[in-house]
Every structure is written in structure tokens, then in C-alpha cells.
Amino acid sequence: ILEECDAAIPIDLCSTSQILLREQRYALSVLYFSLGGERWTRGSNPNLDMGASDTLWLSGSNYCKWIKVGCDAFDNVAELLLDTNNMIGTIPREVGLFDKLVIILMEENHITGNIPEELYSNRDLEKVILYENFLSGTISNKVGDLSKLTLFEVDNNDLHGTIPSTFGNCRNLVDLWLSENNLSGPIPNTIKNLKKLEILALGHNYLSGTIPTLLEANPNLNELYLDGNNFSGAVPCYDNGSY
């Protein structure tokens, strides 16, 4: 796809990097409209004024100046820090265009719908924080593609289905918060692969089966929350941390 970067004649064609940056501005615009940007607590630009303050979304300024958007040295979107911002709507699939995204914070909003599959294509993701929304659907098996992931926090939503066994591929995961959803099935044995895991919160779901002896394989596990489920069998004896 060829794009014009300058209306002057002769026409200058965008470089690959310029096209990628334009895609990210487009993705931010879609995010704004999909999540009710005109009602946001911070960053709202309800009149879509291009001459508005640099910090307002959809102003004519570089999007790296927009409030709650963090960029790397090459103007790639690296952080979306949109927690507690009266966001109402769904996360658009265009979130997958932020291929250098490291942190996405959208907790304590009114977000509905699924976690889009495209989010998991952002292989640099380290922190996904979406708790206290109204997200539904399942957690994709593609979560296992996020090898840099350290924090995955989606508690207090309406997610269902099973806990993906592919979490076991996230070897850098430290905190995993899945409590207060509608998850069912067993705790996957692959959780034992997470040697850096410190917090595992699975309480108040519909999980079943036996409780694995996680501490034997996860020496750094300090907090384990399993209450409010349908587990059977003996409770393993743990001698450290909070449970």
C-alpha cells in the first residue's frame, strides 16, 4: 500500500517506518471512538478540535504528547495508561497494530466484549492490566506467545472457559490474577513451569479437580488464592507465603 506523505508535486511516498507510525495514529483514533473517548475523564477531545491542547487525544500534535500515551525513542506506542478513565465500549482489534506495546493499563473502567486476539500479537507486552471491567469471552491460547509477560491481571470480569495451558510458556510471569471470573476446569499443570511466579490468584471461579503441589515447582510463590472454587481431594501442605 502506497501512501502520500506530502501533497506537493512530485508526491513523496511514505517510508515503511512512516506507514507504521500512521497506522498507530489510526489505531489510537479507533481506540478513542471504540471506548467512548468523548466521555473520558482525561484526554477527551469531544469537539475533535485539531487545534486543541497537545495533550488531548485527536489533536493535531504528535500522538506521543497525548495524555496517557507513552512512546519509545522512535515514536512507537509503548504504553497505554488508561486506568480509571470512564472508558465505555470494547477494545478494538486495531490494538494489535501497536507492535512495540509494553504496558496496557485499562483497569477500573466499563469495558465490555472480548479481549481481542490481536492483543496477543504484541510480543513485547510485559504488563496486561484489565481488572474490574465487564470483559467476557475466553483467554486465548495465544497468551503463551507473550514470552516477556511479567504481569497478567484480568480479575473481576466475566471471563469464562478454561485457564490456557499455554500460560506455561510465559516463563517471565511474576503475577497472575484471574480471580472473580467464571473460569472452569482444572489448574493446568504447566503452571509449574513458571519458576518466577510470586502471586497466583484464582479465587472465586468454578475451577475443579485437584489442587496441584505448586510450591514444590514454584519456589518463589508467596501468595496463592484458591478460595471459592470446586476443588476436590486433599489440600497440599504449604509452609510459606499467604494462602
Side-chain angles (χ1 to χ4, degrees):
I1 297 174
L2 301 179
E3 297 188 9
E4 295 181 14
C5 285
D6 190 340
I9 298 176
I11 292 174
D12 292 330
L13 298 178
C14 288
S15 67
T16 300
S17 61
Q18 288 172 317
I19 292 173
L20 291 174
L21 294 178
R22 287 192 169 208
E23 283 183 346
Q24 291 180 78
R25 187 181 182 95
Y26 163 73
L28 288 170
S29 300
V30 174
L31 185 73
Y32 179 87
F33 289 113
S34 184
L35 288 168
E38 70 277 6
R39 296 183 296 271
W40 287 2
T41 306
R42 301 178 300 278
S44 180
N45 185 2
N47 296 321
L48 304 180
D49 183 3
M50 290 288 288
S53 168
D54 287 352
T55 61
L56 296 184
W57 283 52
L58 306 189
S59 67
S61 66
N62 184 318
Y63 55 77
C64 294
K65 296 181 180 179
W66 296 354
I67 192 168
K68 299 299 182 179
V69 177
C71 294
D72 64 16
F74 303 99
D75 284 355
N76 293 299
V77 174
E79 298 178 349
L80 292 172
L81 309 177
L82 295 165
D83 54 300
T84 320
N85 202 35
N86 195 37
M87 299 170 73
I88 302 172
T90 59
I91 301 173
R93 60 187 299 182
E94 284 79 6
V95 73
L97 294 175
F98 304 126
D99 62 347
K100 300 299 181 182
L101 189 64
V102 177
I103 302 173
I104 179 168
L105 276 66
M106 293 185 176
E107 73 269 24
E108 297 183 5
N109 283 293
H110 306 279
I111 302 173
T112 57
N114 299 337
I115 300 173
E117 290 273 313
E118 290 77 10
L119 178 66
Y120 303 103
S121 67
N122 301 321
R123 303 300 173 84
D124 286 334
L125 267 176
E126 296 179 10
K127 296 181 179 180
V128 176
I129 305 177
L130 303 172
Y131 68 83
E132 290 193 27
N133 279 291
F134 300 93
L135 292 166
S136 55
T138 62
I139 301 172
S140 173
N141 286 325
K142 291 183 179 180
V143 70
D145 295 336
L146 304 179
S147 61
K148 298 181 181 180
L149 192 65
T150 62
L151 172 60
F152 191 83
E153 194 167 358
V154 297
D155 46 313
N156 286 278
N157 279 289
D158 295 315
L159 299 169
H160 63 268
T162 58
I163 299 174
S165 61
T166 52
F167 266 119
N169 297 332
C170 304
R171 303 300 178 97
N172 290 302
L173 195 59
V174 176
D175 294 352
L176 178 57
W177 294 82
L178 305 178
S179 297
E180 300 198 42
N181 281 287
N182 297 305
L183 300 173
S184 58
I187 300 175
N189 286 328
T190 53
I191 294 294
K192 294 180 179 180
N193 297 336
L194 306 179
K195 308 300 184 184
K196 298 181 180 180
L197 194 65
E198 296 181 4
I199 300 175
L200 178 60
L202 305 177
H204 298 282
N205 281 290
Y206 297 93
L207 300 174
S208 57
T210 58
I211 301 174
T213 53
L214 293 167
L215 282 188
E216 294 178 3
N218 302 78
N220 293 310
L221 190 61
N222 293 318
E223 298 182 33
L224 175 62
Y225 303 99
L226 302 175
D227 52 313
N229 282 290
N230 299 318
F231 294 116
S232 58
V235 177
C237 181
Y238 299 134
D239 58 5
N240 67 303
S242 301
Y243 309 104

